[in-house]
Amino acid sequence: MKVVKAPAKINLTLDVVRKRDDGFHDVEMIMTTIDLADRIHLTPLHTNRIMIDVTKGYVPNNENNLAYQAAQKLKERLGINKGVSIFIDKQIPVSAGLAGGSTDAAAVLRGLNDMWGLGLTMEELAEIGLEIGSDVPFCVHGGTAVARGRGEQLEFIDSPPPCWVVLAKPPIGVSTKEVYQRIKVDQLTHPKTDVMVQAIESENFKQVCDHLENVMESITFNMHPEVRKIKERMKQFGADGAVMSGSGPTVFALTQNDSKAERLYNGLKGFVEQVYPVRLLGKKHT
Ligand code: ATP
């Protein structure tokens, strides 16, 4: 049996550049991995099939699971007649803007590449991953990157200065599709992605905090006002910066100060059940 870690990501910036003719949107966003992770157990089977089991009832335990699709894609592409049982110990909140499904798929691609001795490169795995979802290529690599196109054109950069990431997820799920449908690309104020890249490369934590920005935030805030409230409280509790991740509803606060992180955790716990104090992971999978 093999255990693979599948870390969540957060968006430090998220911009939507244009709507394409194929229905996808071109984005420009900075993503980085955090040490909140699902654990995936891969057990070889003697029969030529894929079995899947997940600890959370509302995550599909059939072919709709992105981890299942990852195994299936690998089998199809390479003509593999082997079976695997996939067990997902789910720690990442679902439909939360943290790429939980995408990172499970990516971890299965990495894990099976190893277990089945396929010898595919990370780039080849990322290319297969793109057929499953736009965030899968980034999750295959991990680390910190500016993602463009659908999210598959990755420019890897340094990781941000070490800090606490205090995540809070209200008990609602947000549909990424619905948020995209409400975006009016020509009316957006675009995040300063280049300034954020500079801030990260020069290890300027304050500048990183000052440039956290996500064009989906106002849309999700309008649909779910409690998400805006969480961000406001984070600022009140001393966050150096706070922003929503992906299409939400998870909001995260950054701070380098241990006691501020504790205050944020305790303060937020008062009115949101799911609060996670974690660290940035800050490195690429090898
Ligand atoms: P993103 O940030 O990429 O938009 P998300 O964090 O908002 O993703 P996910 O947690 O990936 O959302 O879940 C989105 C949907 O995908 C859910 O409706 C869920 O049922 C489905 N899904 C399929 N496979 C998985 C998986 N392995 N883990 C979680 N959700 C999955």
Side-chain angles (χ1 to χ4, degrees):
M1 202 245 302
K2 186 177 177 63
V3 182
V4 203
K5 223 172 128 177
K9 62 86 188 164
I10 51 171
N11 291 89
L12 299 176
T13 61
L14 197 172
D15 194 7
V16 178
V17 182
R18 70 181 183 103
K19 184 161 184 197
R20 311 176 352 169
D21 296 335
D22 63 4
F24 288 107
H25 286 82
D26 276 333
V27 295
E28 182 174 67
M29 56 190 180
I30 302 179
M31 295 192 277
T32 191
T33 38
I34 55 174
D35 71 351
L36 173 65
D38 292 343
R39 230 163 286 276
I40 307 208
H41 301 223
L42 300 172
T43 312
L45 290 178
H46 296 297
T47 49
N48 184 16
R49 59 192 287 232
I50 302 164
M51 289 172 66
I52 187 145
D53 193 15
V54 195
T55 49
K56 286 210 169 115
Y58 46 88
V59 179
N61 62 352
N62 53 30
E63 65 283 354
N64 293 324
N65 196 299
L66 301 185
Y68 183 105
Q69 291 173 19
Q72 198 174 35
K73 279 254 153 23
L74 262 191
K75 277 167 64 60
E76 276 168 17
R77 277 264 197 135
L78 288 109
I80 295 162
N81 291 314
K82 288 180 183 169
V84 64
S85 165
I86 303 169
F87 171 75
I88 304 175
D89 174 7
K90 197 92 202 140
Q91 301 295 327
I92 304 170
V94 179
S95 296
L98 301 172
S102 304
T103 194
D104 289 351
V108 166
L109 291 174
R110 283 196 311 272
L112 289 180
N113 187 38
D114 232 37
M115 197 168 90
W116 288 342
L118 305 177
L120 297 177
T121 61
M122 291 288 171
E123 284 70 26
E124 287 167 326
L125 293 176
E127 192 206 311
I128 297 172
L130 182 61
E131 290 178 22
I132 301 165
S134 301
D135 285 346
V136 181
F138 170 75
C139 294
V140 164
H141 293 279
T144 305
V146 186
R148 299 189 178 88
R150 268 176 64 192
E152 84 286 12
Q153 295 164 22
L154 299 171
E155 178 196 334
F156 289 94
I157 59 172
D158 288 345
S159 283
C163 64
W164 287 103
V165 183
V166 183
L167 303 144
K169 184 200 166 277
I172 49 170
V174 171
S175 148
T176 306
K177 202 171 150 203
E178 204 181 326
V179 174
Y180 268 120
Q181 279 165 354
R182 290 175 189 229
I183 281 186
K184 297 196 175 65
V185 178
D186 49 339
Q187 290 175 18
L188 296 176
T189 312
H190 299 286
K192 294 192 175 71
T193 314
D194 51 338
V195 179
M196 180 60 102
V197 172
Q198 253 174 41
I200 292 170
E201 308 250 292
S202 58
E203 296 174 48
N204 186 335
F205 183 69
K206 183 176 182 306
Q207 206 176 0
V208 168
C209 291
D210 290 346
H211 288 85
L212 295 169
E213 218 173 313
N214 179 346
V215 295
M216 293 185 172
E217 213 179 46
S218 59
I219 297 164
T220 304
F221 283 0
N222 283 339
M223 292 195 290
H224 307 282
E226 64 266 48
V227 185
R228 186 197 303 271
K229 267 247 141 49
I230 291 179
K231 182 171 168 178
E232 285 166 5
R233 303 244 181 167
M234 283 177 167
K235 292 273 172 70
Q236 285 164 16
F237 293 139
D240 292 314
V243 76
M244 188 180 83
S245 187
S247 52
T250 304
V251 183
F252 66 87
L254 299 185
T255 181
Q256 290 185 311
N257 181 301
D258 293 353
S259 45
K260 261 194 200 171
E262 205 174 331
R263 199 169 132 218
L264 272 159
Y265 175 78
N266 289 330
L268 291 164
K269 258 306 205 190
F271 64 103
V272 192
E273 200 186 310
Q274 286 181 279
V275 185
Y276 308 86
V278 303
R279 304 286 296 178
L280 295 173
L281 214 52
K283 59 179 187 302
K284 233 170 126 170
H285 302 295
T286 47

